[in-house]
Amino acid sequence: MNTDIIKGKWKQLSGQTKAQWNKLTDDDLGVVEGNREYLVGKLQERYGWARDRAETEVNEFESRLN
């Protein structure tokens, strides 16, 4: 899914994001606001994952949105 589309639909997608990664807080999702790099960073912070793992998780999540 296009990054602009994700940003535009962030309100709807934030619920799916929270369901996927329940350690993310509402404040985290507010800061992320559809920004992929912030999401990867927040996943690293909350789950203790390496950057590669967090990017893989986001890639898989995005592929399910298509």
Side-chain angles (χ1 to χ4, degrees):
M1 182 174 271
N2 182 313
T3 303
D4 292 333
I5 294 171
I6 290 173
K7 286 182 181 182
K9 292 186 175 185
W10 182 245
K11 294 257 189 239
Q12 294 90 355
L13 294 175
S14 64
Q16 292 176 339
T17 305
K18 179 92 180 206
Q20 176 74 28
W21 300 294
N22 59 6
K23 289 185 181 179
L24 294 177
T25 66
D26 289 335
D27 287 341
D28 291 338
L29 296 174
V31 170
V32 169
E33 286 191 355
N35 185 307
R36 188 180 198 289
E37 290 304 311
Y38 284 142
L39 179 56
V40 169
K42 284 297 180 183
L43 290 174
Q44 287 179 271
E45 180 183 327
R46 295 288 181 216
Y47 286 89
W49 293 338
R51 183 164 188 83
D52 290 346
R53 167 81 188 272
E55 286 180 347
T56 299
E57 290 279 334
V58 172
N59 287 340
E60 289 174 359
F61 178 74
E62 287 175 340
S63 71
R64 287 192 300 273
L65 297 176
N66 289 330

